[in-house]
C-alpha cells in the first residue's frame, strides 16, 4: 500500500468553506509558469472566434519521430509496411526518416528512392540537423526521388542555447543561416528534382517570439520562397509547458507577423507532455496553422506526439471531411501495433477496443433507445441507416463508419442495466422482452455477475434467460403432455391434457374464453390456482416466443416459451411461470 505523508498544513485562507483541500508538500516552487519563461506579446487574439471547417495538411512522422521513440526501432520491412499504410490512408506528405542518424534510416530512404513506388502525388520528407556533413548524408539519401522536403532543425530556446549548444542568439542564427545556405547549394545540385525546404526552430514554444521571426524570415528570404514554391516553417511544442491557449497565442503571433506570409506554409508539431497535444493542435489550426505533424495514435518520445487519428476523427465528428480514410480503423491499428510493437490502449479515443462499449445500465438504455430511434428516422427519411444523420447518445460517431460492428457496443457486467440486456437479446437472439419483464431478468443477470465478477457474453446471456424463464416448463415439478385445445363454440375454448405433478399423473381439463384461460381453468381444477396477468408473443423469424406474467398462489412470476407454434410457446410460458413460483 502506498504511504503518503499527511500534510499538517491548513487550507488557504481564501478557500471557500466547501473546499477543504490542503496544500501539498510537493515542492511546486521549483517550477516557473509559462508567462515567466517566455514572452507572450499577443493581446488581441482572434483564434477563439474561429471554427474548424477544413482539414489541414496532415504529415505523419511515425517513421522518423515516432520511430526514435521505440525501444526496438523499425527495420526496412516494418517501415515499408507502415509507409504503405500511410499512403493507403491518404497521406500526401510523409516524413520517412532521419537518414544521417542511422544506417537503417538511410537504407530505408534509399529503398524508397530505388523502388520507384512512391506515388506521384506523395512527397517524402527527410530530417537533418544544421550540420554540413549531416546535410550531405541526407541529400545523398534522397538521390533519385523526384520530390522531397528536406527538414532542417536547430534548437533555438534560451535553455537549449545556453546548456546544450553553448552559443548566443547571434551565434545560433549564424549557425542556422550557414547550414541553410549549404542545404540550398546541395539542393541546386538536383536540377531535375523538386526539393523544398522546411525549418523547425526546435523548442519554439520556449523561444523568444522576436527571435523566431528573425530566424524564420531570414530563411524565407535565403530560400527565396514564393507562393508556388513555399517554405515550411514548423513551430514545435517540443516539450509542452503551458495550457493550449498559450500555444495558440504563440502560433497566431507568428502567423500574423511572419514576412512573405503567402510564401510560407505554417506548420505545427505538438507533443503531449501535459496531455493536451490534441487541443494544442486544434487551437493552433484556429490560430493560423495550415499543416500538422504527428503520429498515428500519438506514439512519440515521453508522452508522445500529437495523435493524427484523433485529430482527423474529431473533425469527422463535426461534419468536416478529414481528407484521410479511417473507414477500417481496426485494420489501421493492427498494422501500427505490428510495426511499433506497442499496443493501442483499450480506451484510446475512437480506436480503442472498448471505446464504443457500454457496461453502465443508464448508458446502455440510452444507446439502445438511440439506436432504435435512428433506425426509425432512417426509415422515415427513406434512406439507409448508414446515410441518415447520426444522433445516438454516448456515441459521437457511428461505429460502423470506422469499420466497427454493433456487437460490442453493449456488453454485460455487474454495472449493466435492463435496457442493455434487452438490446443484446434482441440484437443477437431476436428476443423482444416486454418492458415489465426486463427489471426481473436484470436482477437475475446481476446476481450472476456479482457472484462471478465478470461480464457475460451474448451467448451466456441467452443461456441464462433460457434456463431462468423457458426451461422450467419442461424441468419443473409440474409438466404437461398430450395436451390439446379446441374451440367448442364461438368464444369458448376447451383445454385437455395429462398433468404431471411430482409423482402424480392425472388428466385435466378446463374451459375458457381463450386457450390460455381454458388452461388456467384446467390447472385450477388440478389444485393450481393461476391468474395470467399478461401474455405477449412475437416471431423471431423461425420461431414464436411468448412471455407470460402470472400470479400463482399470490406470487407473481414471469415465464417464457419458444416454439414453432404460437400457442405452444404461450402454454409453455404459463407453465414456466407456474414452476418458477413453486421453486
Amino acid at each position: 500500500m502506498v504511504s503518503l505523508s499527511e500534510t499538517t498544513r491548513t487550507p488557504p485562507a481564501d478557500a471557500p468553506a466547501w473546499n477543504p483541500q490542503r496544500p501539498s508538500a510537493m515542492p511546486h516552487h521549483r517550477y516557473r509558469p509559462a508567462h515567466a519563461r517566455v514572452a507572450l506579446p499577443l493581446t488581441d487574439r482572434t483564434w477563439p472566434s474561429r471554427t474548424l471547417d477544413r482539414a489541414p495538411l496532415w504529415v505523419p512522422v511515425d517513421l522518423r519521430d515516432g520511430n526514435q521513440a521505440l525501444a526496438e526501432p523499425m527495420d526496412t520491412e516494418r517501415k515499408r509496411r507502415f509507409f504503405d499504410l500511410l499512403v493507403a490512408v491518404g497521406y500526401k506528405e510523409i516524413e520517412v526518416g532521419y537518414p544521417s542518424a542511422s544506417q537503417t534510416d538511410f537504407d530505408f530512404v534509399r529503398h524508397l528512392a530505388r523502388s520507384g513506388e512512391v506515388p506521384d502525388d506523395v512527397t517524402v520528407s527527410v530530417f537533418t540537423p544544421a550540420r554540413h556533413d549531416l546535410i550531405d548524408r541526407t541529400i545523398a539519401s534522397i538521390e533519385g526521388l523526384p520530390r522531397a522536403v528536406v527538414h532542417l532543425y536547430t534548437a533555438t530556446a534560451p535553455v537549449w542555447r545556453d546548456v546544450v549548444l553553448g552559443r548566443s542568439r547571434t551565434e545560433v542564427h549564424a549557425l542556422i543561416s550557414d547550414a541553410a545556405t549549404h542545404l540550398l547549394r546541395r539542393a541546386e545540385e538536383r536540377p531535375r528534382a523538386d526539393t523544398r525546404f522546411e525549418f523547425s526552430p526546435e523548442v519554439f514554444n520556449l523561444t523568444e517570439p522576436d527571435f523566431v521571426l528573425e530566424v524564420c524570415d531570414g530563411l524565407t528570404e535565403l530560400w527565396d520562397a514564393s507562393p508556388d514554391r513555399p517554405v515550411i516553417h514548423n513551430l514545435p511544442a517540443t516539450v509542452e509547458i503551458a495550457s493550449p491557449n498559450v500555444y495558440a497565442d504563440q502560433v497566431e503571433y507568428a502567423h500574423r507577423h511572419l514576412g512573405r506570409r503567402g510564401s510560407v506554409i505554417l506548420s505545427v508539431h505538438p507533443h503531449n507532455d501535459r496531455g493536451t497535444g490534441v487541443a494544442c493542435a486544434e487551437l493552433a489550426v484556429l490560430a493560423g496553422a495550415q499543416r500538422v505533424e504527428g503520429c498515428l495514435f500519438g506514439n512519440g518520445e515521453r508522452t508522445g506526439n500529437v495523435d493524427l487519428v484523433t485529430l482527423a476523427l474529431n473533425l469527422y465528428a463535426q461534419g468536416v471531411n478529414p481528407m484521410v480514410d479511417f473507414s477500417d480503423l481496426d485494420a489501421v491499428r493492427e498494422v501500427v501495433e505490428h510495426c511499433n510493437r506497442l499496443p493501442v490502449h483499450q480506451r484510446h479515443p475512437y480506436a480503442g477496443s472498448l471505446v464504443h462499449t457500454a457496461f453502465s445500465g443508464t448508458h446502455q438504455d440510452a444507446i439502445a433507445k438511440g439506436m432504435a430511434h435512428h433506425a426509425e428516422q432512417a426509415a422515415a427519411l427513406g434512406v439507409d441507416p448508414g446515410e441518415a444523420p447520426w444522433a445516438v447518445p454516448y456515441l459521437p460517431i457511428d461505429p460502423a463508419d470506422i469499420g466497427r460492428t454493433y456487437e460490442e457496443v453493449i456488453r454485460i457486467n455487474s454495472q449493466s442495466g435492463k435496457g442493455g440486456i434487452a438490446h443484446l437479446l434482441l440484437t443477437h437472439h431476436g428476443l423482444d422482452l416486454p418492458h415489465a419483464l426486463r427489471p426481473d431478468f436484470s436482477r437475475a443477470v446481476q446476481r450472476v455477475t456479482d457472484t462471478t465478477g465478470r461480464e457475460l457474453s451474448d451467448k451466456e446471456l441467452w443461456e441464462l434467460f433460457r434456463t431462468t424463464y423457458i426451461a422450467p416448463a419442461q424441468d419443473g415439478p409440474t409438466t404437461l403432455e398430450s395436451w390439446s385445445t379446441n374451440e367448442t363454440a364461438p368464444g369458448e375454448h376447451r383445454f385437455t391434457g395429462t398433468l404431471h405433478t411430482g409423482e402424480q399423473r392425472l388428466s385435466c381439463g378446463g374451459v375458457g374464453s381463450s386457450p390460455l384461460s381454458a388452461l388456467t381453468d384446467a390447472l385450477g381444477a388440478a389444485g393450481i390456482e393461476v391468474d395470467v396477468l399478461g401474455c405477449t408473443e412475437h416471431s423471431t423469424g423461425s420461431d414464436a416466443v411468448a412471455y407470460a406474467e402470472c400470479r400463482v398462489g399470490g406470487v407473481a412470476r414471469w415465464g417464457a416459451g419458444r416454439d414453432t407454434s404460437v400457442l405452444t410457446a404461450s402454454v409453455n410460458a404459463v407453465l414456466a411461470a407456474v414452476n418458477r413460483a413453486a421453486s
Side-chain angles (χ1 to χ4, degrees), residues 283-426:
L283 298 192
V285 173
L286 291 177
Q290 301 153 292
R291 179 180 181 272
V292 176
E293 295 183 354
C295 291
L296 270 60
F297 307 119
N299 180 43
E301 295 283 10
R302 303 179 309 281
T303 54
N305 290 51
V306 71
D307 180 348
L308 293 185
V309 175
T310 298
L311 285 173
L313 291 176
N314 281 356
L315 285 180
Y316 182 75
Q318 298 298 311
V320 177
N321 193 316
M323 307 302 285
V324 282
D325 186 351
F326 289 124
S327 58
D328 192 354
L329 189 55
D330 286 340
V332 173
R333 185 184 69 182
E334 180 184 350
V335 173
V336 174
E337 288 181 326
H338 167 79
C339 294
N340 285 343
R341 296 179 179 170
L342 292 173
V344 172
H345 195 277
Q346 292 179 321
R347 297 293 182 186
H348 194 100
Y350 301 106
S353 59
L354 292 178
V355 297
H356 296 119
T357 300
F359 291 104
S360 162
T362 54
H363 290 201
Q364 292 174 345
D365 183 59
I367 291 171
K369 290 175 179 175
M371 298 283 280
H373 181 263
H374 177 72
E376 293 169 2
Q377 290 292 100
L381 293 171
V383 300
D384 184 271
E387 296 296 323
W390 183 256
V392 173
Y394 296 112
L395 296 178
I397 65 172
D398 185 344
D401 288 352
I402 54 174
R404 296 280 177 85
T405 66
Y406 296 120
E407 294 179 1
E408 295 299 311
V409 169
I410 292 175
R411 287 163 58 176
I412 303 303
N413 66 10
S414 61
Q415 306 299 309
S416 304
K418 57 185 183 295
I421 293 166
H423 175 81
L424 281 187
L425 285 177
L426 178 61

